Amino acid sequence: MAANENSPEAEAQYLHVLSAFLAMEPVDSVIALARECTGGSITDKAQRFFWELCVKASANGNASYAKKLLKKLINEVELENGQVLDQVYEEYALYMSASKEDALVKENIRITKFISFLFPEGSYKLPSCPNSRELVIPLQCSLNMLEGDTGCSIWPSSLFLSEFVLSYPDLFVNKSCIEVGSGVGMVGVCLAHVKAKKVILTDGDLLTLANMKLNLEMNHLNSDDELLKQPGETQNTQVKCIHLPWETASESELSEYRPDIVLGADVIYDPSCLPHLLRVLVALLRKPPQRDNSALETEDRDTAQQGRSPVVAYIASVIRNADTFNAFLTLVDKMNISITDVTGELSPHFELLPYMHSYDRSSVRLFSISSR
Ligand SMILES: C[S@@+](CC[C@H](N)C(=O)[O-])C[C@H]1O[C@@H](n2cnc3c(N)ncnc32)[C@H](O)[C@@H]1O
């Protein structure tokens, strides 16, 4: 049943359609969401809504997606013997008349997806935007998941890890966090929104790193390659992007980061990288040497020692290949660290991406890893 057009339910449903469109969800799924708003058929209002979105999307360089959506929309309205609006036909005709070369160029360029995290009533309010019930993160990414663009795609585990960060802000507030294989940088943006003290995003691929920096800028987070706080720096969360290939990261470099929390999303997939990834994780999980507290009073000394909790790593992963994951577990066992599946215990409280039907949250596992 469609909600009354002006009711809060209808508004929420249209927000889902808009969010799905901005995240460039598969066009079938976006149109199915629109049908939910209207009680089944595609109304003139829904057509006008999509037409406006497509005009804006194409102005922002996402013409290829807008074209796919309009094509599907026209097909479905015609199948129902409905009336396609003139402006919808005209907009589609514009894309059709673009030259073939133009279309090819558009297919190859990076696109900007807008990922909207929708906070339901009664859920957490972000310190960065306390009056808003949504956080929209623009991210430049590639539609091509393979051929060297692995790190420029949004993988399901980073959606999960982002929901996790936004659901458990208290775990991250005022904490120093480092992420391995950060890809587009979405988890880092979420960490900044929950006011982590320091966010170090890393990747081994230089093109991915350049794209990540651009994404931080799009999200109004300045990054630089200097690890030390600059004099006069006013940003609440320090965000850094670092080139950190697991194979060559030196022990001395890794020992400098001293994080409270290590994060990683979809980083367990290449068997040849696993020993290197684990070496990096073990080094990051190592507690920094105790400071010389001998001059402190006994009580102060105890407080100083208790002050620092053990470092923990949260790794989210889709287990696509059981052999690869078992190889990871075998290495974990050999390296004096322990791993616990915390998916049930620490599952995100709220579904913050309810419109994103392409994201199967249940396919992702969350592991906590710490030194024994
Ligand atoms: C599947 S992608 C996941 C990206 C992102 N975390 C996400 O979930 O959307 C794996 C990421 O790990 C990075 N990576 C793969 N092998 C690496 C290595 N040996 N050293 C450092 N980073 C690596 C890739 O460049 C890529 O960004």
Side-chain angles (χ1 to χ4, degrees):
M1 260 278 277
N4 173 310
E5 248 186 63
N6 300 316
S7 66
E9 289 83 8
E11 235 174 74
Q13 283 178 328
Y14 265 101
L15 180 61
H16 285 195
V17 186
L18 174 66
S19 304
F21 180 91
L22 293 175
M24 299 181 71
E25 280 287 277
V27 292
D28 296 28
S29 162
V30 181
I31 291 178
L33 282 170
R35 285 186 185 279
E36 282 174 26
C37 298
T38 58
S41 61
I42 301 172
T43 59
D44 287 0
K45 181 181 171 187
Q47 288 195 54
R48 264 191 299 276
F49 183 73
F50 281 128
W51 170 73
E52 277 173 21
L53 287 179
C54 287
V55 171
K56 280 189 202 145
S58 114
N60 288 333
N62 288 356
S64 146
Y65 181 71
K67 179 179 162 191
K68 268 190 220 146
L69 188 120
L70 287 183
K71 183 174 181 194
K72 182 79 188 161
L73 184 72
I74 291 169
N75 275 345
E76 296 215 2
V77 177
E78 284 177 348
L79 270 176
E80 285 172 1
N81 295 323
Q83 191 80 38
V84 178
L85 298 184
D86 285 350
Q87 64 257 52
V88 170
Y89 272 138
E90 281 159 19
E91 184 68 16
Y92 184 62
L94 268 182
Y95 305 137
M96 292 301 288
S97 61
S99 71
K100 208 170 175 189
E101 296 82 68
D102 218 24
L104 276 176
V105 171
K106 277 177 187 152
E107 288 300 334
N108 287 332
I109 56 165
R110 297 263 159 94
I111 40 96
T112 305
K113 292 188 179 185
F114 294 81
I115 307 299
S116 308
F117 292 91
L118 307 179
F119 295 88
E121 270 317 307
S123 67
Y124 170 71
K125 283 189 177 154
L126 279 177
S128 57
C129 34
N131 298 321
S132 177
R133 297 239 64 94
E134 63 179 310
L135 167 66
V136 183
I137 302 185
L139 295 167
Q140 178 173 275
C141 26
S142 162
L143 290 177
N144 181 5
M145 283 202 167
L146 305 170
E147 292 173 30
D149 266 350
T150 315
C152 295
S153 305
I154 301 173
W155 294 81
S157 302
S158 65
L159 292 167
F160 187 99
L161 210 50
S162 299
E163 280 194 295
F164 171 60
V165 168
L166 297 172
S167 294
Y168 292 92
D170 294 349
L171 287 180
F172 303 95
V173 67
N174 223 11
K175 293 281 163 58
S176 265
C177 303
I178 185 165
E179 189 189 12
V180 292
S182 305
V184 294
M186 176 168 58
V187 172
V189 177
C190 292
L191 286 166
H193 277 281
V194 299
K195 300 279 177 235
K197 182 169 72 187
K198 189 193 273 183
V199 176
I200 302 173
L201 301 181
T202 72
D203 208 279
D205 179 57
L206 285 171
L207 285 178
T208 298
L209 210 63
N211 187 59
M212 190 195 302
K213 283 186 182 177
L214 197 138
N215 282 335
L216 293 181
E217 276 162 31
M218 276 208 286
N219 285 279
H220 313 292
L221 295 166
N222 296 322
S223 74
D224 57 57
D225 297 322
E226 298 292 315
L227 198 66
L228 295 172
K229 192 166 177 155
Q230 301 301 301
E233 197 168 294
T234 53
Q235 198 171 291
N236 286 338
T237 303
Q238 253 189 294
V239 185
K240 310 285 170 193
C241 289
I242 309 257
H243 183 224
L244 191 85
W246 309 325
E247 292 75 2
T248 52
S250 72
E251 292 293 316
S252 66
E253 177 187 5
L254 294 168
S255 70
E256 277 169 22
Y257 296 130
R258 301 179 176 214
D260 299 305
I261 300 178
V262 183
L263 299 109
D266 247 322
V267 285
I268 305 169
Y269 60 97
D270 180 348
S272 69
C273 287
L274 294 183
H276 307 290
L277 169 63
L278 267 159
R279 183 183 66 82
V280 168
L281 288 179
V282 168
L284 293 172
L285 287 171
R286 209 169 281 141
K287 264 193 175 170
Q290 291 275 323
R291 276 184 315 171
D292 180 11
N293 293 329
S294 50
L296 298 175
E297 296 289 326
T298 316
E299 202 180 319
D300 292 343
R301 197 159 48 228
D302 287 349
T303 314
Q305 281 179 356
Q306 286 160 9
R308 207 182 151 90
S309 320
V311 186
V312 60
Y314 292 111
I315 304 293
S317 205
V318 174
I319 303 173
R320 297 186 184 86
N321 183 316
D323 288 345
T324 305
F325 193 73
N326 287 335
F328 179 75
L329 292 182
T330 307
L331 284 167
V332 164
D333 207 42
K334 282 188 190 150
M335 292 181 124
N336 212 24
I337 50 178
S338 61
I339 182 164
T340 314
D341 186 335
V342 290
T343 321
E345 190 187 326
L346 289 179
S347 178
H349 291 309
F350 299 100
E351 215 182 315
L352 303 181
L353 301 161
Y355 60 87
M356 198 178 270
H357 294 173
S358 67
Y359 161 48
D360 176 12
R361 199 204 240 197
S362 67
S363 67
V364 186
R365 315 295 309 163
L366 180 67
F367 298 94
S368 107
I369 303 182
S370 49
S371 295
R372 276 202 197 121

